[in-house]
Amino acid sequence: MLSMILFVVRSLEYTMTDPKTCKFSFFSDGQAMIKSLAEMRQWPYYYPNATLAPDWDVLQAIKRCLEQLDSSTMLTQVKGHQDDDTNFADLPLQAQLNVKADAAAGAYQYHDKDHQRTTLVDGAGVLLHSPDGTTGSNHLRRIRSARKTIAITDHTQTKNEWTQELFTLVDWDLHGRSVRQHFKERQFVCKLVHQHLPLGKLCHQYPKGCPSCDCPDEDTLHFFQCPMKTITQNQNSRLS
């Protein structure tokens, strides 16, 4: 949305056309964005906490551009993904353009990896960059994470006797998404992936071997593959 409105504003400047003499209508499937812009246009100034909201730099830039156009300029919502149940050719023009815009955005997001760092837009004042890219939201969490990353990385490599090359082979983004997807079981999942379940020699309440069979050395793989029928009861009691 910002790129399109900014293109219109710059085109008017280049052609030395008075923006107040032109009427425009912009369409977007972002209902939350349209609502936020309507609220922002009522503010006498930007409150400090508001500047920490997700994508605030983009929203304030859109607001600045809209203020340069005629007051009758309309920003209207168009329902997204209408091609899911309707033939593309049968859709109205606004919906067709929205489908094409979604396809272009998806291609950029998932195939072009050179978009982790963004540029500073007019009016934003400042952007927060980290080794992972530009932070557009959750600033406090990102700052804390960046502060702890080096210490956690060193600890993980030392504990597991990993080299830096081996550490980088792990897809840590996928690891994080897996843990967040199973949020209720996050403690169990975290112990499982780090091989720290209370099994075998790590559990002082039981012998080193499996309490359900005669296996002399219980590990994570045996815990899930133990053939004894009582393993289910032991799993529930030992991991609860």
Side-chain angles (χ1 to χ4, degrees):
M1 176 59 69
L2 173 59
S3 60
M4 186 66 255
I5 298 180
L6 190 58
F7 174 79
V8 171
V9 172
R10 293 293 180 261
S11 298
L12 295 174
E13 293 177 354
Y14 181 78
T15 58
M16 293 182 291
T17 302
D18 184 3
K20 303 298 183 181
T21 62
C22 304
K23 295 184 178 181
F24 298 95
S25 295
F26 298 98
F27 298 87
S28 172
D29 61 356
Q31 181 179 7
M33 179 197 68
I34 296 176
K35 181 180 178 181
S36 297
L37 287 171
E39 294 176 352
M40 292 174 64
R41 299 181 79 168
Q42 304 300 321
W43 297 346
Y45 53 86
Y46 293 127
Y47 302 97
N49 287 341
T51 63
L52 298 177
D55 300 323
W56 174 84
D57 56 331
V58 176
L59 291 176
Q60 64 83 29
I62 294 176
K63 175 178 174 292
R64 287 165 60 93
C65 290
L66 290 176
E67 290 175 344
Q68 299 180 47
L69 302 177
D70 186 74
S71 58
S72 62
T73 299
M74 299 181 61
L75 187 58
T76 308
Q77 180 192 5
V78 57
K79 183 180 178 181
H81 306 288
Q82 295 188 42
D83 58 325
D84 291 345
D85 50 17
T86 305
N87 187 280
F88 178 83
D90 296 333
L91 295 174
L93 177 61
Q94 294 87 344
Q96 290 184 1
L97 294 175
N98 179 258
V99 171
K100 292 182 178 181
D102 284 344
Y108 173 77
Q109 181 71 25
Y110 297 109
H111 299 290
D112 187 351
K113 300 300 181 181
D114 188 25
H115 60 268
Q116 294 183 341
R117 296 178 70 89
T118 61
T119 57
L120 186 67
V121 298
D122 290 343
V126 64
L127 278 180
L128 178 62
H129 295 294
S130 67
D132 296 331
T134 303
T135 299
S137 62
N138 299 319
H139 297 80
L140 184 57
R141 180 172 63 83
R142 295 293 181 89
I143 292 174
R144 288 174 175 171
S145 177
R147 178 177 177 271
K148 297 178 180 179
T149 296
I150 297 178
I152 293 177
T153 300
D154 293 342
H155 173 75
T156 303
Q157 291 182 218
T158 302
K159 181 179 180 180
N160 297 283
E161 298 181 352
W162 290 353
T163 62
Q164 179 63 29
E165 291 74 15
L166 182 59
F167 181 86
T168 56
L169 290 177
V170 179
D171 191 337
W172 294 108
D173 290 336
L174 180 60
H175 170 272
R177 289 197 296 269
S178 300
V179 174
R180 289 191 294 271
Q181 186 176 1
H182 302 86
F183 185 77
K184 293 182 179 180
E185 299 84 15
R186 63 188 182 281
Q187 184 174 5
F188 171 80
V189 173
C190 187
K191 289 184 178 181
L192 174 63
V193 298
H194 291 286
Q195 299 183 3
H196 208 282
L197 289 175
L199 304 173
K201 61 182 180 180
L202 294 179
C203 186
H204 302 290
Q205 298 179 2
Y206 301 93
K208 182 179 180 181
C210 177
S212 299
C213 68
D214 297 329
C215 179
D217 190 10
E218 183 188 33
D219 57 12
T220 303
L221 181 61
H222 175 80
F223 179 74
F224 289 104
Q225 296 182 347
C226 182
M228 300 299 294
K229 295 182 179 180
T230 57
I231 189 63
T232 304
Q233 290 79 6
N234 287 331
Q235 284 177 343
N236 294 334
S237 61
R238 296 173 64 186
L239 299 182
S240 60

